Amino acid sequence: MTATTPENGFRARLRRVASGTAVFAIALGACAVAVPSAASAADAADPASVELAVTIGANGTVTQGAGASASVSVHNDAESELSGGHVVIELNRTPLPDAAAVTSWLDDEKGVESGFTPLASDATAAVDAGATATASVPIAPEALADLTPGVYPLRAELSGATTGTGDDAESAHATATSVLVVAAGPRPQVTVLVPITATPEGGSLLTRDELIELTAPDGDLTAQLEGVSGTSAVLAIDPSIPAAIRALGTSAPTRVAEWLDQLDALPNERFALQFGDADATTQAQANLPALLQPTTLVPLLDPANFQPQPGAATEAPAATPTPTPSAGPQLPDDQTLMAIDGATPGILWPRQGATADDLTRFAAYVGGSVTTVLPSTAFTEVSGGHVAVGEHDVLVTDAAASEALSDAAAEPESGARARSLAAAGAYLFFASQASGGAPLLVGLDRDDDRSATALRDAISAVDSPGVGLASLRSTPAAPATLSGDAGDARGASLQVLLAEESQLAAFSSILEEPQVLLSPERIRILRVIAVGSSTKRFDADVSEHRATTRETLRAVEIPQSSTIQLLTANADLPFQVRNDLPWPVTVRLSVAPTDPRLEVQSVTPAVIPANTNTRVKVPVSARVGSGELDLRLALFSPTGVELGDRQTVRVAVRAEWEGIGLTVFGALIVILVGLGVVRTVRRKRREADEAADEESGTAGHDRGVE
C-alpha cells in the first residue's frame, strides 16, 4: 500500500464521530465496482477509527464474464499509526431481488443471512495517523465468471490491525457491507439534473463580497461550474445568481463576470429554477393565483454602475456638430437581470408533495405547456423517466439513485464516494429493468457546497452523452398516478408570510421609495420557501422571518416619555419619535388632550432621519393656570397607517409661574435701575465735590504768592 495525503472531508469526519465506528467501503476495478456501506465497529469504545474503501471497475459495475481487480483504500483517523492487517472480501452469489433489498442490505445489513464466499484477500500496510493508503487486490477471473446479471451483496472484514504500541495498543477490527453490480450490456441511458444554487447570508441578493468569495478558485460557484464542465448534465440554474452579478454593472470584479461568461458558454442543456429556488408546490398549496416573483430589482441597483462608458458609441463626422444632452444611466430591467441564456422554457422542478390539482395550477402558472420534475416516490408505481399524470407531462427522477448520487457528489473522500456511486449503479440497474431500457432521470439534491471532483465523479458515473431533456420528453409517456401525499403545511405558512408582507406594504408608505423595503422582503420570502429547505430549516426560517417582520413594523414609533413640565401658557412641546430604519421616513404625529383646557395642534407632519431619535415640536396653549393633563399620542404614515403603539404623556401645567416670573423679573429690573440711578447721582456729587476742593485750593495758593 502507498500512503497518501490525509483527506479531511467534513461530512466524512462528522459521520465517523457520530457513528464511532470503523467503516469499510469496497469497489472492484477494471470492469466492475463493488460499493461498501457503513461499517460496524467491533467495539464502540475503541478509540481507533478506520475507513476502508474498495473500488472495482466502472463505479460498482462489472460486465458479465469480465475480469476485475479490487482497489482497497484504508483511511486511519486515529491519533497514532495503524499497523498492517489483513482484509478479506466476501461475496454472496444470490442476487438481491429489488431496490428495496439493496437499501435494506446497505443500511441495516438485513435480508442476507448466509451464503457468503471469499472473493479475495490481501495484507494491508501500515498507515500513518490521519493518512490514507491504497493497494490493488487481484480478483481471480473464475471468481466472477459464473455470476449472472444482477446486484450482489458484498462484505469485507479488516482484522489484525492495531493502533498504538505496547500497553496502549488497541485493536482496529472492522467490517463493512457493499454491493457488486454485474451488467449484461451497456449501462442505462441516464440524464442527470444538477441544480446551480447559492444562498446569500442576508437572504436577499448575493453581495459583491459574497460573489468574490464564491467565484474564487476555491469558491463554491467555481466548484459547481468546474464539476459540470465536460459532462452532459442538465443544469437547473437559480436566476438570482446571474441577477446578482449583472446588478453590479461595471463594478463587477473581473473574476465574477468571467464566471457568468463561462456559465453562458457551457454547451449543457439548462432551464431556470424559480428565483431563489422558490418551491412551486408550496405556492400552489397556498392557492396563489400566480408564481411569486421579485417585486422589482431596481432598488438593489446603483445607477453609478450603469453610467455610459466612454467610447461606447461610434462618433460619425459631421460638418456642423449638434450639441446633445449627455445620456444618463440606463438601468437594466428585471427580465434582463434574471435571464438564463439558452434556457429551455416551461419546466418546473418543485419538491415532493405535489398533487394532481397542483399540476393543474402549474400549467396555469406557466401559461401553457409545462413539464414538472418529480421524484419516483411521489407515485404509487412508476417506471421510466417520462410519464403522464392525466393531461400533465412529468419527468421522473429515480429517488433512490438520486439520493445515492447526491451523497457521492457531497462526499469529498474518494473511498466513501465509491460506495455511494456503487449504490447508485445498483438502483439504476433495477430502474432500467423496470423501464425496459427507456431513458432514466436522476436529480441531485440542492447543495451549495460540493467539491468539483466529487460532483464530476458523480455525474460521469451515470450520465449518458446525447441523452437530455429533449430525448426524455420525446420518449412516450407512460400513464402514472400520484400517491396522493399532499406534503406538509408549507402552503399555510406561506399564506402567513404573505399576509405579513401586506402589512409591510402598508407600513412602507412612510418611505419615499417603498420598494427599498419591499423588494428585499419578497426575495427573502422566496428563499424561505426554497425547494432545498428541510422541514426543520423551513420552520426555523419562517419563525426568524416573522420575527424580523415584527421588528421592522416596530422600527418607527413613539418611545415612552416621562412627565412634561409646561411653565407657560403657550409653548412648543417636544415629543420623541424613533426611526431604526436605514432610510428617512415621513410621519404624522397625532396629539389629542384629555382636557379641553389644553389646546394642541392635532396633527404635526415630520421627517425623521435614518437611525435617529428626533424631537417633533407640537404647539400647545394652556387655558388653566396649573394642573396635570394627559396627551394621547399616535403616529401615522402619510396614508393613515398607524405606526407602533399609542402613548399617553402626562403634562404638568404651571402657567401661573409665568406671571410670577415676570413680576419677579420686573422687580429685579426696577431695583437694578434704581441702584444704577443712585450710583450715578452719588458719582456725580463726588466728582463735583472733588472739583470744588481743587478750585478752592488753587485760589489760596495764589493769595499766598501775592
Side-chain angles (χ1 to χ4, degrees), residues 123-157:
T124 61
V127 186
D128 292 336
T132 300
T134 61
S136 179
V137 180
I139 305 291
E142 58 274 14
L144 303 176
D146 60 340
L147 296 179
T148 59
V151 178
Y152 295 86
L154 187 71
R155 72 184 183 190
E157 182 177 10

mmCIF file of all heavy atoms in Angstrom, residues 123-157:
data_model
loop_
_atom_site.group_PDB
_atom_site.id
_atom_site.type_symbol
_atom_site.label_atom_id
_atom_site.label_comp_id
_atom_site.label_asym_id
_atom_site.label_seq_id
_atom_site.Cartn_x
_atom_site.Cartn_y
_atom_site.Cartn_z
ATOM 1 N N ALA A 123 -2.982 -8.542 2.453
ATOM 2 C CA ALA A 123 -2.456 -7.866 3.636
ATOM 3 C C ALA A 123 -2.535 -6.365 3.410
ATOM 4 O O ALA A 123 -2.425 -5.870 2.283
ATOM 5 C CB ALA A 123 -1.022 -8.291 3.886
ATOM 6 N N THR A 124 -2.729 -5.625 4.478
ATOM 7 C CA THR A 124 -2.750 -4.170 4.408
ATOM 8 C C THR A 124 -1.493 -3.622 5.061
ATOM 9 O O THR A 124 -0.996 -4.170 6.040
ATOM 10 C CB THR A 124 -3.988 -3.600 5.110
ATOM 11 O OG1 THR A 124 -3.961 -3.970 6.488
ATOM 12 C CG2 THR A 124 -5.271 -4.123 4.485
ATOM 13 N N ALA A 125 -0.986 -2.547 4.505
ATOM 14 C CA ALA A 125 0.234 -1.930 5.033
ATOM 15 C C ALA A 125 -0.099 -0.989 6.177
ATOM 16 O O ALA A 125 -1.260 -0.626 6.400
ATOM 17 C CB ALA A 125 0.953 -1.180 3.919
ATOM 18 N N ALA A 126 0.924 -0.585 6.919
ATOM 19 C CA ALA A 126 0.744 0.379 7.999
ATOM 20 C C ALA A 126 0.342 1.734 7.416
ATOM 21 O O ALA A 126 0.761 2.114 6.322
ATOM 22 C CB ALA A 126 2.028 0.505 8.800
ATOM 23 N N VAL A 127 -0.481 2.458 8.175
ATOM 24 C CA VAL A 127 -0.986 3.761 7.725
ATOM 25 C C VAL A 127 -0.741 4.779 8.830
ATOM 26 O O VAL A 127 -1.113 4.559 9.987
ATOM 27 C CB VAL A 127 -2.493 3.696 7.397
ATOM 28 C CG1 VAL A 127 -2.964 5.018 6.801
ATOM 29 C CG2 VAL A 127 -2.795 2.545 6.450
ATOM 30 N N ASP A 128 -0.120 5.883 8.489
ATOM 31 C CA ASP A 128 0.132 6.936 9.459
ATOM 32 C C ASP A 128 -1.176 7.545 9.965
ATOM 33 O O ASP A 128 -2.218 7.466 9.312
ATOM 34 C CB ASP A 128 0.992 8.036 8.841
ATOM 35 C CG ASP A 128 2.401 7.559 8.544
ATOM 36 O OD1 ASP A 128 2.839 6.592 9.211
ATOM 37 O OD2 ASP A 128 3.053 8.142 7.652
ATOM 38 N N ALA A 129 -1.106 8.180 11.122
ATOM 39 C CA ALA A 129 -2.279 8.841 11.691
ATOM 40 C C ALA A 129 -2.790 9.918 10.740
ATOM 41 O O ALA A 129 -2.019 10.732 10.232
ATOM 42 C CB ALA A 129 -1.926 9.457 13.039
ATOM 43 N N GLY A 130 -4.088 9.879 10.458
ATOM 44 C CA GLY A 130 -4.702 10.870 9.593
ATOM 45 C C GLY A 130 -4.420 10.691 8.121
ATOM 46 O O GLY A 130 -4.792 11.547 7.313
ATOM 47 N N ALA A 131 -3.785 9.581 7.733
ATOM 48 C CA ALA A 131 -3.413 9.364 6.332
ATOM 49 C C ALA A 131 -4.270 8.261 5.712
ATOM 50 O O ALA A 131 -5.029 7.568 6.389
ATOM 51 C CB ALA A 131 -1.941 9.008 6.218
ATOM 52 N N THR A 132 -4.149 8.123 4.395
ATOM 53 C CA THR A 132 -4.851 7.091 3.643
ATOM 54 C C THR A 132 -3.843 6.310 2.821
ATOM 55 O O THR A 132 -2.911 6.887 2.256
ATOM 56 C CB THR A 132 -5.909 7.709 2.710
ATOM 57 O OG1 THR A 132 -6.852 8.445 3.495
ATOM 58 C CG2 THR A 132 -6.647 6.631 1.927
ATOM 59 N N ALA A 133 -4.018 4.994 2.772
ATOM 60 C CA ALA A 133 -3.157 4.144 1.949
ATOM 61 C C ALA A 133 -4.027 3.315 1.014
ATOM 62 O O ALA A 133 -5.157 2.955 1.353
ATOM 63 C CB ALA A 133 -2.302 3.238 2.822
ATOM 64 N N THR A 134 -3.509 3.029 -0.173
ATOM 65 C CA THR A 134 -4.272 2.258 -1.164
ATOM 66 C C THR A 134 -3.455 1.071 -1.654
ATOM 67 O O THR A 134 -2.223 1.077 -1.618
ATOM 68 C CB THR A 134 -4.646 3.138 -2.370
ATOM 69 O OG1 THR A 134 -3.442 3.605 -2.986
ATOM 70 C CG2 THR A 134 -5.499 4.317 -1.935
ATOM 71 N N ALA A 135 -4.150 0.049 -2.104
ATOM 72 C CA ALA A 135 -3.492 -1.135 -2.666
ATOM 73 C C ALA A 135 -4.442 -1.803 -3.653
ATOM 74 O O ALA A 135 -5.655 -1.679 -3.549
ATOM 75 C CB ALA A 135 -3.097 -2.113 -1.564
ATOM 76 N N SER A 136 -3.878 -2.508 -4.617
ATOM 77 C CA SER A 136 -4.665 -3.255 -5.597
ATOM 78 C C SER A 136 -4.705 -4.728 -5.191
ATOM 79 O O SER A 136 -3.670 -5.352 -4.956
ATOM 80 C CB SER A 136 -4.041 -3.119 -6.991
ATOM 81 O OG SER A 136 -4.777 -3.857 -7.937
ATOM 82 N N VAL A 137 -5.915 -5.268 -5.091
ATOM 83 C CA VAL A 137 -6.102 -6.673 -4.709
ATOM 84 C C VAL A 137 -6.595 -7.436 -5.942
ATOM 85 O O VAL A 137 -7.680 -7.165 -6.449
ATOM 86 C CB VAL A 137 -7.116 -6.811 -3.561
ATOM 87 C CG1 VAL A 137 -7.303 -8.281 -3.175
ATOM 88 C CG2 VAL A 137 -6.676 -5.989 -2.363
ATOM 89 N N PRO A 138 -5.824 -8.383 -6.446
ATOM 90 C CA PRO A 138 -6.248 -9.121 -7.650
ATOM 91 C C PRO A 138 -7.448 -10.020 -7.361
ATOM 92 O O PRO A 138 -7.578 -10.597 -6.288
ATOM 93 C CB PRO A 138 -5.010 -9.943 -8.012
ATOM 94 C CG PRO A 138 -4.253 -10.074 -6.736
ATOM 95 C CD PRO A 138 -4.504 -8.825 -5.959
ATOM 96 N N ILE A 139 -8.350 -10.106 -8.344
ATOM 97 C CA ILE A 139 -9.519 -10.988 -8.273
ATOM 98 C C ILE A 139 -9.341 -12.065 -9.337
ATOM 99 O O ILE A 139 -9.141 -11.753 -10.515
ATOM 100 C CB ILE A 139 -10.830 -10.221 -8.528
ATOM 101 C CG1 ILE A 139 -10.960 -9.036 -7.576
ATOM 102 C CG2 ILE A 139 -12.039 -11.152 -8.408
ATOM 103 C CD1 ILE A 139 -11.174 -9.400 -6.142
ATOM 104 N N ALA A 140 -9.396 -13.305 -8.926
ATOM 105 C CA ALA A 140 -9.248 -14.395 -9.894
ATOM 106 C C ALA A 140 -10.381 -14.336 -10.916
ATOM 107 O O ALA A 140 -11.543 -14.134 -10.546
ATOM 108 C CB ALA A 140 -9.258 -15.742 -9.176
ATOM 109 N N PRO A 141 -10.085 -14.482 -12.220
ATOM 110 C CA PRO A 141 -11.134 -14.403 -13.252
ATOM 111 C C PRO A 141 -12.293 -15.363 -12.997
ATOM 112 O O PRO A 141 -13.456 -15.023 -13.232
ATOM 113 C CB PRO A 141 -10.385 -14.748 -14.535
ATOM 114 C CG PRO A 141 -8.960 -14.403 -14.252
ATOM 115 C CD PRO A 141 -8.747 -14.696 -12.799
ATOM 116 N N GLU A 142 -11.981 -16.562 -12.505
ATOM 117 C CA GLU A 142 -13.043 -17.540 -12.302
ATOM 118 C C GLU A 142 -13.951 -17.174 -11.129
ATOM 119 O O GLU A 142 -15.060 -17.722 -10.991
ATOM 120 C CB GLU A 142 -12.453 -18.932 -12.067
ATOM 121 C CG GLU A 142 -11.508 -19.049 -10.879
ATOM 122 C CD GLU A 142 -10.076 -18.691 -11.233
ATOM 123 O OE1 GLU A 142 -9.866 -18.105 -12.329
ATOM 124 O OE2 GLU A 142 -9.174 -19.003 -10.436
ATOM 125 N N ALA A 143 -13.515 -16.228 -10.260
ATOM 126 C CA ALA A 143 -14.324 -15.868 -9.098
ATOM 127 C C ALA A 143 -15.606 -15.152 -9.490
ATOM 128 O O ALA A 143 -16.600 -15.198 -8.766
ATOM 129 C CB ALA A 143 -13.510 -14.996 -8.149
ATOM 130 N N LEU A 144 -15.599 -14.490 -10.661
ATOM 131 C CA LEU A 144 -16.785 -13.759 -11.111
ATOM 132 C C LEU A 144 -17.398 -14.357 -12.368
ATOM 133 O O LEU A 144 -18.437 -13.871 -12.836
ATOM 134 C CB LEU A 144 -16.425 -12.284 -11.384
ATOM 135 C CG LEU A 144 -15.795 -11.488 -10.228
ATOM 136 C CD1 LEU A 144 -15.417 -10.091 -10.702
ATOM 137 C CD2 LEU A 144 -16.743 -11.411 -9.048
ATOM 138 N N ALA A 145 -16.780 -15.389 -12.901
ATOM 139 C CA ALA A 145 -17.196 -15.915 -14.199
ATOM 140 C C ALA A 145 -18.616 -16.462 -14.209
ATOM 141 O O ALA A 145 -19.322 -16.383 -15.220
ATOM 142 C CB ALA A 145 -16.215 -16.997 -14.661
ATOM 143 N N ASP A 146 -19.071 -17.036 -13.097
ATOM 144 C CA ASP A 146 -20.385 -17.676 -13.085
ATOM 145 C C ASP A 146 -21.507 -16.748 -12.649
ATOM 146 O O ASP A 146 -22.657 -17.180 -12.498
ATOM 147 C CB ASP A 146 -20.355 -18.883 -12.147
ATOM 148 C CG ASP A 146 -20.011 -18.489 -10.711
ATOM 149 O OD1 ASP A 146 -19.438 -17.386 -10.538
ATOM 150 O OD2 ASP A 146 -20.318 -19.260 -9.789
ATOM 151 N N LEU A 147 -21.216 -15.454 -12.450
ATOM 152 C CA LEU A 147 -22.249 -14.524 -11.994
ATOM 153 C C LEU A 147 -23.127 -14.069 -13.160
ATOM 154 O O LEU A 147 -22.629 -13.642 -14.203
ATOM 155 C CB LEU A 147 -21.614 -13.295 -11.335
ATOM 156 C CG LEU A 147 -20.810 -13.541 -10.047
ATOM 157 C CD1 LEU A 147 -20.220 -12.230 -9.538
ATOM 158 C CD2 LEU A 147 -21.689 -14.178 -8.973
ATOM 159 N N THR A 148 -24.418 -14.201 -12.982
ATOM 160 C CA THR A 148 -25.373 -13.694 -13.969
ATOM 161 C C THR A 148 -25.663 -12.229 -13.672
ATOM 162 O O THR A 148 -25.379 -11.730 -12.576
ATOM 163 C CB THR A 148 -26.672 -14.502 -13.917
ATOM 164 O OG1 THR A 148 -27.221 -14.412 -12.592
ATOM 165 C CG2 THR A 148 -26.420 -15.961 -14.269
ATOM 166 N N PRO A 149 -26.234 -11.495 -14.624
ATOM 167 C CA PRO A 149 -26.533 -10.082 -14.363
ATOM 168 C C PRO A 149 -27.398 -9.905 -13.117
ATOM 169 O O PRO A 149 -28.370 -10.625 -12.906
ATOM 170 C CB PRO A 149 -27.275 -9.646 -15.628
ATOM 171 C CG PRO A 149 -26.736 -10.548 -16.690
ATOM 172 C CD PRO A 149 -26.531 -11.870 -16.023
ATOM 173 N N GLY A 150 -27.025 -8.962 -12.289
ATOM 174 C CA GLY A 150 -27.766 -8.701 -11.062
ATOM 175 C C GLY A 150 -26.948 -7.868 -10.100
ATOM 176 O O GLY A 150 -25.831 -7.419 -10.402
ATOM 177 N N VAL A 151 -27.495 -7.676 -8.913
ATOM 178 C CA VAL A 151 -26.844 -6.919 -7.852
ATOM 179 C C VAL A 151 -26.590 -7.874 -6.695
ATOM 180 O O VAL A 151 -27.526 -8.489 -6.175
ATOM 181 C CB VAL A 151 -27.713 -5.733 -7.393
ATOM 182 C CG1 VAL A 151 -27.028 -4.983 -6.254
ATOM 183 C CG2 VAL A 151 -27.995 -4.787 -8.554
ATOM 184 N N TYR A 152 -25.331 -7.977 -6.291
ATOM 185 C CA TYR A 152 -24.930 -8.987 -5.304
ATOM 186 C C TYR A 152 -24.428 -8.323 -4.016
ATOM 187 O O TYR A 152 -23.683 -7.335 -4.073
ATOM 188 C CB TYR A 152 -23.828 -9.879 -5.882
ATOM 189 C CG TYR A 152 -24.290 -10.704 -7.053
ATOM 190 C CD1 TYR A 152 -24.265 -10.188 -8.344
ATOM 191 C CD2 TYR A 152 -24.757 -12.008 -6.867
ATOM 192 C CE1 TYR A 152 -24.693 -10.939 -9.421
ATOM 193 C CE2 TYR A 152 -25.188 -12.770 -7.947
ATOM 194 C CZ TYR A 152 -25.158 -12.232 -9.213
ATOM 195 O OH TYR A 152 -25.598 -12.987 -10.288
ATOM 196 N N PRO A 153 -24.823 -8.895 -2.862
ATOM 197 C CA PRO A 153 -24.313 -8.375 -1.587
ATOM 198 C C PRO A 153 -22.811 -8.635 -1.461
ATOM 199 O O PRO A 153 -22.314 -9.694 -1.838
ATOM 200 C CB PRO A 153 -25.100 -9.165 -0.538
ATOM 201 C CG PRO A 153 -26.253 -9.751 -1.268
ATOM 202 C CD PRO A 153 -25.801 -9.966 -2.682
ATOM 203 N N LEU A 154 -22.142 -7.663 -0.923
ATOM 204 C CA LEU A 154 -20.695 -7.749 -0.756
ATOM 205 C C LEU A 154 -20.352 -7.292 0.655
ATOM 206 O O LEU A 154 -20.962 -6.356 1.178
ATOM 207 C CB LEU A 154 -20.007 -6.843 -1.787
ATOM 208 C CG LEU A 154 -18.485 -6.909 -1.898
ATOM 209 C CD1 LEU A 154 -18.057 -8.218 -2.525
ATOM 210 C CD2 LEU A 154 -17.981 -5.727 -2.727
ATOM 211 N N ARG A 155 -19.413 -7.961 1.269
ATOM 212 C CA ARG A 155 -18.961 -7.510 2.569
ATOM 213 C C ARG A 155 -17.460 -7.751 2.694
ATOM 214 O O ARG A 155 -16.881 -8.538 1.930
ATOM 215 C CB ARG A 155 -19.715 -8.199 3.699
ATOM 216 C CG ARG A 155 -19.372 -9.659 3.910
ATOM 217 C CD ARG A 155 -20.249 -10.254 4.994
ATOM 218 N NE ARG A 155 -19.889 -11.651 5.276
ATOM 219 C CZ ARG A 155 -20.609 -12.464 6.044
ATOM 220 N NH1 ARG A 155 -21.742 -12.026 6.586
ATOM 221 N NH2 ARG A 155 -20.208 -13.708 6.264
ATOM 222 N N ALA A 156 -16.872 -7.070 3.668
ATOM 223 C CA ALA A 156 -15.430 -7.194 3.860
ATOM 224 C C ALA A 156 -15.118 -7.053 5.336
ATOM 225 O O ALA A 156 -15.904 -6.499 6.116
ATOM 226 C CB ALA A 156 -14.689 -6.150 3.045
ATOM 227 N N GLU A 157 -13.945 -7.553 5.696
ATOM 228 C CA GLU A 157 -13.545 -7.525 7.098
ATOM 229 C C GLU A 157 -12.053 -7.237 7.195
ATOM 230 O O GLU A 157 -11.241 -7.815 6.470
ATOM 231 C CB GLU A 157 -13.860 -8.847 7.779
ATOM 232 C CG GLU A 157 -13.500 -8.877 9.260
ATOM 233 C CD GLU A 157 -13.904 -10.178 9.919
ATOM 234 O OE1 GLU A 157 -14.282 -11.119 9.185
ATOM 235 O OE2 GLU A 157 -13.826 -10.263 11.161
#
